[in-house]
Amino acid sequence: MRRRDMLLGTAATFSLGACADSKFRRYTGPEVTMVYVNKSARRMHLLHHDTALSSYDIHLGFAPEGHKQFEGDGKTPEGTYRIDRRNPNSDFHLSLGISYPNVNDVQVARAMDKSPGGDIFIHGQRHPRKPDGKDWTWGCIAVTNDEIEEIYAMVADETLIVLSA
């Protein structure tokens, strides 16, 4: 009986320990009112009005110069968008969707007889133990898995995101 109790206790401890390693964090600090991405500096800032709460080094699309114009161009959008969805089951750990394309983005792509694309996210790494190179995404904004856990907890849906050159 004693051995059974010890085994059950050990199993419970490991189960509870796994919960502590959850990728879903809680955030109780000031509201993030805007996400600001400076593409040329490769930095992203989470702001509460005019105060920076957190800042991160970022990786962009594999062709980072200029505004995204069509699907597959490897560019990260520029302009003002919103965080419009979240993916807890992302292939890149966790991800927050950006409301690209807007009406203007669609018009520009269609004028070139192309699709504007979509599925632009802030997300984590491809392989958590293998560092990614510089500017490796198809137009997304990438951070480390640890950082996306923090960002995912801090940034609410409908938060404004400004992406500048």
Side-chain angles (χ1 to χ4, degrees), residues 3 10 16 31 36 54 65-68 74 78 85 87-88 92 94 99 104 107 109 113 121 133 145 148 153 156 158:
R3 182 176 177 179
T10 301
L16 290 173
E31 174 190 16
Y36 176 74
S54 294
E65 301 298 320
H67 176 59
K68 182 166 197 62
E78 295 173 1
R85 62 202 180 281
N87 183 356
F92 302 94
L94 293 169
S99 63
N104 293 334
Q107 288 175 346
D113 201 28
F121 288 87
N145 287 351
I148 193 60
E158 297 305 315

Short mmCIF file of all heavy atoms in Angstrom, two decimals, residues 3 10 16 31 36 54 65-68 74 78 85 87-88 92 94 99 104 107 109 113 121 133 145 148 153 156 158:
data_model
loop_
_atom_site.label_atom_id
_atom_site.label_comp_id
_atom_site.label_asym_id
_atom_site.label_seq_id
_atom_site.Cartn_x
_atom_site.Cartn_y
_atom_site.Cartn_z
N ARG A 3 3.86 1.65 -1.19
CA ARG A 3 4.51 1.85 -2.49
C ARG A 3 3.51 2.46 -3.49
O ARG A 3 3.84 3.34 -4.26
CB ARG A 3 5.03 0.51 -3.01
CG ARG A 3 5.74 0.65 -4.31
CD ARG A 3 6.33 -0.64 -4.75
NE ARG A 3 6.94 -0.43 -6.05
CZ ARG A 3 7.57 -1.31 -6.73
NH1 ARG A 3 7.72 -2.52 -6.23
NH2 ARG A 3 8.07 -1.05 -7.90
N THR A 10 4.00 10.63 -6.66
CA THR A 10 5.01 11.02 -7.65
C THR A 10 4.34 11.40 -8.96
O THR A 10 4.69 12.42 -9.58
CB THR A 10 6.01 9.87 -7.89
OG1 THR A 10 6.64 9.56 -6.63
CG2 THR A 10 7.08 10.26 -8.90
N LEU A 16 1.40 18.08 -11.90
CA LEU A 16 1.31 19.48 -11.50
C LEU A 16 2.52 20.26 -11.99
O LEU A 16 2.40 21.42 -12.37
CB LEU A 16 1.19 19.60 -9.97
CG LEU A 16 -0.14 19.12 -9.40
CD1 LEU A 16 -0.07 19.13 -7.87
CD2 LEU A 16 -1.28 19.96 -9.89
N GLU A 31 -2.42 47.92 -19.35
CA GLU A 31 -2.93 47.50 -20.66
C GLU A 31 -1.95 47.90 -21.77
O GLU A 31 -1.44 49.02 -21.78
CB GLU A 31 -4.28 48.17 -20.92
CG GLU A 31 -4.82 47.91 -22.30
CD GLU A 31 -6.03 48.78 -22.63
OE1 GLU A 31 -6.28 49.78 -21.91
OE2 GLU A 31 -6.71 48.45 -23.61
N TYR A 36 4.20 48.64 -31.43
CA TYR A 36 4.91 49.43 -32.44
C TYR A 36 6.10 48.61 -32.94
O TYR A 36 6.94 48.17 -32.15
CB TYR A 36 5.40 50.76 -31.85
CG TYR A 36 6.23 51.55 -32.83
CD1 TYR A 36 5.61 52.22 -33.90
CD2 TYR A 36 7.61 51.61 -32.71
CE1 TYR A 36 6.37 52.93 -34.82
CE2 TYR A 36 8.36 52.33 -33.62
CZ TYR A 36 7.73 52.98 -34.68
OH TYR A 36 8.49 53.67 -35.59
N SER A 54 7.53 46.76 -22.74
CA SER A 54 8.50 45.73 -23.11
C SER A 54 8.98 45.99 -24.53
O SER A 54 8.23 46.53 -25.35
CB SER A 54 7.88 44.33 -23.08
OG SER A 54 7.53 43.96 -21.77
N GLU A 65 12.73 44.79 -46.89
CA GLU A 65 12.61 46.19 -47.32
C GLU A 65 11.29 46.44 -48.02
O GLU A 65 10.91 45.69 -48.93
CB GLU A 65 13.76 46.56 -48.25
CG GLU A 65 15.15 46.39 -47.63
CD GLU A 65 15.38 47.26 -46.42
OE1 GLU A 65 14.95 48.43 -46.43
OE2 GLU A 65 15.99 46.78 -45.46
N GLY A 66 10.58 47.48 -47.62
CA GLY A 66 9.33 47.87 -48.27
C GLY A 66 8.10 47.19 -47.71
O GLY A 66 8.18 46.26 -46.91
N HIS A 67 6.96 47.67 -48.17
CA HIS A 67 5.65 47.19 -47.73
C HIS A 67 5.24 45.95 -48.50
O HIS A 67 5.47 45.85 -49.71
CB HIS A 67 4.62 48.31 -47.94
CG HIS A 67 3.21 47.92 -47.60
ND1 HIS A 67 2.83 47.47 -46.36
CD2 HIS A 67 2.09 47.90 -48.37
CE1 HIS A 67 1.52 47.22 -46.37
NE2 HIS A 67 1.06 47.47 -47.58
N LYS A 68 4.62 45.02 -47.81
CA LYS A 68 4.11 43.81 -48.46
C LYS A 68 3.10 44.22 -49.54
O LYS A 68 2.21 45.01 -49.30
CB LYS A 68 3.44 42.90 -47.44
CG LYS A 68 2.92 41.61 -48.04
CD LYS A 68 2.58 40.62 -46.95
CE LYS A 68 2.45 39.23 -47.51
NZ LYS A 68 3.69 38.71 -48.11
N GLY A 74 7.60 37.91 -49.57
CA GLY A 74 8.55 37.83 -48.46
C GLY A 74 8.68 39.10 -47.65
O GLY A 74 9.56 39.21 -46.81
N GLU A 78 3.67 47.19 -43.82
CA GLU A 78 3.88 48.47 -43.14
C GLU A 78 2.54 49.17 -43.08
O GLU A 78 1.74 49.04 -43.99
CB GLU A 78 4.90 49.32 -43.91
CG GLU A 78 6.28 48.72 -43.94
CD GLU A 78 7.26 49.47 -44.83
OE1 GLU A 78 6.89 50.50 -45.44
OE2 GLU A 78 8.42 49.01 -44.92
N ARG A 85 -6.65 38.06 -34.10
CA ARG A 85 -6.90 36.67 -33.73
C ARG A 85 -5.68 36.12 -33.02
O ARG A 85 -4.62 36.72 -33.05
CB ARG A 85 -7.24 35.83 -34.96
CG ARG A 85 -6.14 35.74 -35.99
CD ARG A 85 -6.69 35.36 -37.37
NE ARG A 85 -5.69 35.26 -38.39
CZ ARG A 85 -5.13 36.28 -39.05
NH1 ARG A 85 -5.45 37.51 -38.76
NH2 ARG A 85 -4.24 36.07 -39.98
N ASN A 87 -3.63 32.22 -32.12
CA ASN A 87 -3.54 30.79 -32.42
C ASN A 87 -2.72 30.10 -31.34
O ASN A 87 -1.49 30.17 -31.35
CB ASN A 87 -2.90 30.58 -33.80
CG ASN A 87 -2.85 29.11 -34.18
OD1 ASN A 87 -3.23 28.23 -33.41
ND2 ASN A 87 -2.38 28.83 -35.37
N PRO A 88 -3.39 29.42 -30.41
CA PRO A 88 -2.67 28.72 -29.35
C PRO A 88 -2.01 27.43 -29.84
O PRO A 88 -1.19 26.86 -29.14
CB PRO A 88 -3.76 28.42 -28.32
CG PRO A 88 -5.01 28.33 -29.13
CD PRO A 88 -4.84 29.33 -30.25
N PHE A 92 4.40 27.64 -34.77
CA PHE A 92 5.49 28.48 -34.27
C PHE A 92 5.24 28.84 -32.81
O PHE A 92 5.36 30.00 -32.42
CB PHE A 92 5.63 29.73 -35.15
CG PHE A 92 5.88 29.39 -36.59
CD1 PHE A 92 4.83 29.30 -37.48
CD2 PHE A 92 7.16 29.12 -37.03
CE1 PHE A 92 5.06 28.97 -38.81
CE2 PHE A 92 7.40 28.79 -38.36
CZ PHE A 92 6.34 28.71 -39.25
N LEU A 94 3.21 29.90 -30.37
CA LEU A 94 1.98 30.68 -30.20
C LEU A 94 2.02 31.78 -31.25
O LEU A 94 3.10 32.16 -31.70
CB LEU A 94 1.92 31.35 -28.82
CG LEU A 94 1.78 30.48 -27.59
CD1 LEU A 94 2.02 31.31 -26.33
CD2 LEU A 94 0.42 29.83 -27.54
N SER A 99 -4.23 42.07 -38.82
CA SER A 99 -5.38 42.23 -39.73
C SER A 99 -5.01 42.56 -41.18
O SER A 99 -5.84 43.08 -41.92
CB SER A 99 -6.34 43.28 -39.18
OG SER A 99 -5.71 44.55 -39.12
N ASN A 104 -6.88 48.81 -48.89
CA ASN A 104 -5.84 49.34 -49.77
C ASN A 104 -4.87 48.25 -50.22
O ASN A 104 -4.44 48.23 -51.38
CB ASN A 104 -5.07 50.48 -49.10
CG ASN A 104 -5.93 51.70 -48.89
OD1 ASN A 104 -6.90 51.93 -49.60
ND2 ASN A 104 -5.59 52.48 -47.87
N GLN A 107 -6.47 46.26 -52.99
CA GLN A 107 -6.50 47.01 -54.25
C GLN A 107 -5.14 47.01 -54.94
O GLN A 107 -5.04 46.83 -56.15
CB GLN A 107 -6.96 48.45 -54.01
CG GLN A 107 -8.43 48.56 -53.69
CD GLN A 107 -8.83 49.99 -53.34
OE1 GLN A 107 -8.00 50.84 -53.08
NE2 GLN A 107 -10.14 50.23 -53.33
N ALA A 109 -2.65 44.81 -54.64
CA ALA A 109 -2.35 43.46 -55.15
C ALA A 109 -3.18 43.14 -56.39
O ALA A 109 -2.65 42.61 -57.38
CB ALA A 109 -2.60 42.42 -54.07
N ASP A 113 -2.64 42.09 -60.50
CA ASP A 113 -3.20 40.77 -60.82
C ASP A 113 -2.64 39.67 -59.92
O ASP A 113 -2.31 38.58 -60.37
CB ASP A 113 -2.98 40.43 -62.30
CG ASP A 113 -3.97 39.37 -62.78
OD1 ASP A 113 -5.07 39.29 -62.22
OD2 ASP A 113 -3.60 38.61 -63.71
N PHE A 121 1.43 37.10 -38.90
CA PHE A 121 1.36 36.91 -37.45
C PHE A 121 2.62 37.43 -36.76
O PHE A 121 3.68 37.55 -37.38
CB PHE A 121 1.27 35.41 -37.11
CG PHE A 121 -0.05 34.79 -37.44
CD1 PHE A 121 -0.30 34.27 -38.71
CD2 PHE A 121 -1.05 34.70 -36.48
CE1 PHE A 121 -1.51 33.68 -39.01
CE2 PHE A 121 -2.26 34.11 -36.78
CZ PHE A 121 -2.50 33.60 -38.04
N GLY A 133 17.75 31.99 -38.35
CA GLY A 133 18.59 33.02 -38.92
C GLY A 133 17.87 34.36 -38.96
O GLY A 133 16.72 34.49 -38.54
N ASN A 145 10.41 31.83 -28.44
CA ASN A 145 9.23 31.21 -27.85
C ASN A 145 8.92 31.79 -26.47
O ASN A 145 7.76 32.00 -26.12
CB ASN A 145 9.39 29.69 -27.77
CG ASN A 145 9.28 29.04 -29.12
OD1 ASN A 145 8.93 29.69 -30.11
ND2 ASN A 145 9.58 27.76 -29.19
N ILE A 148 7.25 35.17 -27.12
CA ILE A 148 5.87 35.12 -27.61
C ILE A 148 4.91 34.72 -26.50
O ILE A 148 3.76 35.16 -26.47
CB ILE A 148 5.70 34.22 -28.87
CG1 ILE A 148 4.32 34.45 -29.53
CG2 ILE A 148 5.87 32.75 -28.54
CD1 ILE A 148 4.03 35.84 -30.01
N ALA A 153 0.34 36.86 -23.69
CA ALA A 153 -0.40 37.18 -22.46
C ALA A 153 -0.70 38.68 -22.35
O ALA A 153 -1.75 39.07 -21.85
CB ALA A 153 0.40 36.73 -21.24
N ALA A 156 -3.96 42.12 -26.09
CA ALA A 156 -5.35 41.68 -26.29
C ALA A 156 -5.75 41.79 -27.76
O ALA A 156 -5.14 42.54 -28.53
CB ALA A 156 -6.29 42.56 -25.45
N GLU A 158 -7.76 43.13 -30.84
CA GLU A 158 -8.14 44.49 -31.24
C GLU A 158 -7.12 45.55 -30.85
O GLU A 158 -7.35 46.74 -31.06
CB GLU A 158 -9.54 44.87 -30.73
CG GLU A 158 -10.65 44.01 -31.31
CD GLU A 158 -10.64 43.99 -32.84
OE1 GLU A 158 -10.51 45.07 -33.46
OE2 GLU A 158 -10.79 42.91 -33.40
#
